Amino acid sequence: MARILIDLPEHFLFSTEVPIYITHINKAQHLDNAALIALLSEARVRFFRSFGYDELDVEGVGIVVADAALQYKSEAFHGETLVFSMAPADFNKYGFDLMWRVADKASGREVARGKMGILFFDYAAKRAAGIPEAFRAKIGTPAIVA
């Protein structure tokens, strides 16, 4: 079976800390994979809020997570605090990849890495929308020239 390999950017634009609660732990006594996805959703919401946005209103349009990929690097355990670092990459007309890395705060041990495909979406029209230029300017990414 081919393994997913994810290359991360050298620098991250945003980071946030989230503690691991007992409800995030599975029968094997480590972070449950479904819990990691939920924690990533929390970190993604915080990423957009750090720029003053709600996921349903980024300059008048919303976002959808169109796809996701992750690669586990080590276990994480109850009581640890995880640092979620995020950076946008690979912009196209309708979205970008939100690259992320999760590490234990105390040791720096990498727990997981991955990406989420972020698609801008016009919920009223029920279709993909172009990346708002004001969003692009706010996060410091140049416009795509067609």
Side-chain angles (χ1 to χ4, degrees), residues 108-119:
R109 177 188 79 252
E110 185 175 7
V111 172
R113 60 174 59 191
K115 69 182 192 85
M116 290 178 245
I118 303 297
L119 173 71

Side-chain angles (χ1 to χ4, degrees), residues 61-108:
V61 295
I63 65 140
V64 172
V65 176
D67 57 35
L70 64 95
Q71 181 183 11
Y72 291 101
K73 295 297 207 170
S74 67
E75 294 176 296
F77 303 97
H78 175 248
E80 291 181 334
T81 297
L82 299 179
V83 177
F84 290 76
S85 301
M86 299 184 147
D90 298 326
F91 282 79
N92 62 56
K93 184 177 178 182
Y94 299 106
F96 62 93
D97 284 339
L98 185 57
M99 307 300 296
W100 55 264
R101 177 181 186 268
V102 180
D104 173 52
K105 181 180 178 183
S107 68

